[in-house]
Amino acid sequence: MQKHNMQADSLIEKTFLNLIEVHKGILHKVARLYMDSSEDRKDLQQEIIIQLWRSYHNFKGESAFSSWMYRVAINTAISYFKKEKRRSDVYTYDNIKEPENEDYNPEKDRQLEIFYQAVQELNAVEKALIFYFMEGLSHRETGIQLGLSEGNVRVKLNRTKEKLQQIIKKTNYES
């Protein structure tokens, strides 16, 4: 019986690791949205993986694994972000780099740098709204993920987009 449980546990672990590998882009995107330094992004990704593993037994397959992973990742990022904010309200943007596996495009790189700098000024829920918007989720799907009504998502997302535009305009004028 002991051997059977070990085999089952090993299979569960392999399945989990395969799912993480297939959907690792979610980890990168969430971490990039919430953290500005490479080290902080790696720490957040590790924290998300830990939380995913701890709650994996709760995943029943009623939704796509990626949807469940988004929810856990965003909730973990929001909690982690709040802890980091309490620890230090000072962020530096000197060393922002995009993931190494992308082709380098200086103009795109500059635009992304400005965008991610602007995103750092958003609160945790606003970041989640922008993330889900970038991922193409509907207002309804975003509301389900964040526990908000569809109408509330629509209003908050529009306000967040306007806020981002104002931050970017201010950044461009100051550059």
Side-chain angles (χ1 to χ4, degrees), residues 93 113-122 127 163-164 167-168 171:
Y93 301 103
E113 183 180 328
I114 290 168
F115 171 76
Y116 283 118
Q117 282 179 0
V119 166
Q120 293 304 316
E121 295 187 34
L122 300 176
K127 287 181 181 190
K163 183 176 177 180
L164 254 181
I167 294 166
I168 289 170
T171 302

Side-chain angles (χ1 to χ4, degrees), residues 33-73:
L33 202 60
Y34 279 84
M35 294 294 149
D36 61 335
S37 80
S38 177
E39 295 80 24
D40 287 343
R41 286 193 294 271
K42 287 177 186 168
D43 289 348
L44 177 55
Q45 287 178 27
Q46 288 297 333
E47 186 65 26
I48 291 169
I49 291 170
I50 290 167
Q51 293 306 320
L52 286 165
W53 177 246
R54 284 182 181 157
S55 57
Y56 185 57
H57 66 281
N58 293 326
F59 176 65
K60 306 292 186 226
E62 294 165 0
S63 63
F65 179 81
S66 59
S67 297
W68 176 78
M69 187 174 173
Y70 278 133
R71 179 176 291 158
V72 173

Side-chain angles (χ1 to χ4, degrees), residues 99-130:
E100 294 77 30
N101 61 349
E102 290 187 9
D103 290 335
Y104 182 71
N105 175 333
E107 181 57 28
K108 182 181 174 196
D109 192 51
R110 177 71 182 135
Q111 289 171 349
L112 283 171
E113 183 180 328
I114 290 168
F115 171 76
Y116 283 118
Q117 282 179 0
V119 166
Q120 293 304 316
E121 295 187 34
L122 300 176
N123 69 38
V125 173
E126 291 168 336
K127 287 181 181 190
L129 287 165
I130 291 298

Side-chain angles (χ1 to χ4, degrees), residues 34 67 70-71 74-75 78 124-158 160-161:
Y34 279 84
S67 297
Y70 278 133
R71 179 176 291 158
I74 290 289
N75 288 336
I78 289 171
V125 173
E126 291 168 336
K127 287 181 181 190
L129 287 165
I130 291 298
F131 174 77
Y132 286 133
F133 172 74
M134 289 169 48
E135 289 298 303
L137 269 70
S138 69
H139 294 124
R140 183 177 172 280
E141 292 166 323
T142 299
I144 291 168
Q145 294 291 336
L146 296 175
L148 300 170
S149 72
E150 186 175 342
N152 200 351
V153 167
R154 186 174 289 110
V155 170
K156 285 181 179 283
L157 180 59
N158 285 333
T160 302
K161 285 186 210 172

